[in-house]
């Protein structure tokens, strides 16, 4: 028997180079400086900035219900260039709620750092540049920082039962910050 129809999931088109996803099933979230209050350390600099400034936007698709074991989600993130004081624009960062779930990030353009932190708050960074592929093992918090002058774009694929634990990062932060020092990015412990 041959089942009819071209797609199991409502049709989606991706534009690899712009990070754009199109289709009825595509979801989108935009994070502004207002949404990220408390994530950047320089509250005085943040105070003088336009809170509606977009820091990053995510598009993604969920072909199965969140929490389904064995499924995969797919999405893109575009982080704008910029800083709050000396700290570069970045994603909120999270552990996966199900700690053993991993993820792939694959970068298309821009440059930055993937900041990874384990449960003991040991930090590691990987350089993100066009074409870099990053495997984020389970149990590791992850955040992406745009250290360049252009938007930073990457695609991601993660398990549908991973979930996002943002609260741990909101409460304790990440153990390092990426700041402008002597004309370039520096990773400093906090
Ligand atoms: O699943 C992921 O790890 C990514 O799609 C992120 O959710 C995305 O990059 C945005 O980061 P955050 O979820 O930390 O706001
Ligand atoms: Mn993740």
């Amino acid at each position: 028997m041959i089942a009819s129809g071209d797609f199991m999931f409502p049709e989606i088109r991706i534009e690899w180079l712009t990070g754009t996803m199109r289709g009825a099933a595509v979801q989108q979230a935009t994070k502004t400086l207002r949404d990220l209050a408390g994530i950047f350390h320089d509250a005085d600099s943040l105070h003088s900035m336009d809170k509606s400034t977009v820091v990053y936007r995510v598009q993604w698709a969920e072909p199965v219900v969140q929490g389904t074991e064995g499924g995969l989600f797919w999405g893109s993130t575009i982080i704008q260039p910029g800083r709050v004081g000396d700290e570069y624009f970045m994603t909120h960062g999270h552990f996966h709620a199900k700690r053993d779930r991993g993820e792939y990030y694959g970068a298309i353009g821009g440059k930055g750092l993937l900041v990874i932190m384990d449960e003991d708050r040991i930090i590691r960074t990987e350089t993100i540049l066009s074409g870099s592929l990053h495997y984020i093992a389970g149990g590791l918090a992850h955040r992406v920082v745009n250290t360049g002058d252009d938007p930073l774009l990457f695609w991601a694929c993660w398990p549908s039962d991973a979930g996002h634990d943002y609260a741990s990062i909101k409460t304790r932060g990440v153990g390092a910050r990426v700041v402008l020092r002597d004309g370039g990015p520096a990773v400093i412990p906090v």
Side-chain angles (χ1 to χ4, degrees):
M1 176 188 164
I2 300 175
S4 62
D6 288 339
F7 300 96
M8 288 174 60
F9 183 55
E11 185 179 340
I12 288 178
R13 285 285 180 272
I14 60 172
E15 281 178 16
W16 285 106
L17 300 186
T18 64
T20 307
M21 297 176 71
R22 293 184 210 286
V26 174
Q27 303 190 52
Q28 175 162 324
T30 301
K31 299 290 174 183
T32 63
L33 284 174
R34 184 177 296 107
D35 299 319
L36 297 167
I39 294 299
F40 294 98
H41 79 282
D42 187 343
D44 289 342
S45 292
L46 183 64
H47 187 67
S48 64
M49 295 174 77
D50 178 356
K51 303 295 181 304
S52 65
T53 302
V54 171
V55 179
Y56 60 100
R57 84 109 170 87
V58 187
Q59 286 188 316
W60 73 98
E62 301 184 353
V64 293
V65 174
Q66 276 205 42
T68 303
E69 200 174 319
L72 293 169
F73 292 163
W74 172 263
S76 64
T77 302
I78 302 173
I79 310 173
Q80 295 304 314
R83 278 182 281 115
V84 177
D86 61 2
E87 189 171 28
Y88 292 97
F89 278 11
M90 59 188 172
T91 59
H92 184 289
H94 58 270
F95 286 97
H96 289 155
K98 267 201 179 158
R99 286 294 196 268
D100 64 352
R101 298 314 196 238
E103 181 161 9
Y104 275 115
Y105 282 180
I108 297 289
K111 63 179 186 178
L113 287 175
L114 171 62
V115 179
I116 290 170
M117 178 179 75
D118 70 17
E119 297 275 8
D120 296 326
R121 303 184 66 75
I122 305 295
I123 301 283
R124 194 163 56 81
T125 63
E126 294 183 9
T127 301
I128 299 183
L129 42 77
S130 176
S132 61
L133 180 67
H134 307 271
Y135 174 66
I136 301 160
L140 302 174
H142 39 290
R143 161 182 283 167
V144 174
V145 184
N146 184 351
T147 60
D149 299 325
D150 301 307
L152 188 163
L153 160 61
F154 62 94
W155 290 98
C157 184
W158 65 101
S160 46
D161 63 350
H164 293 87
D165 167 14
Y166 291 110
S168 300
I169 301 301
K170 198 161 267 170
T171 314
R172 295 196 64 198
V174 170
R177 295 187 177 279
V178 184
V179 297
L180 175 66
R181 287 280 186 280
D182 303 323
V187 182
I188 55 167
V190 290

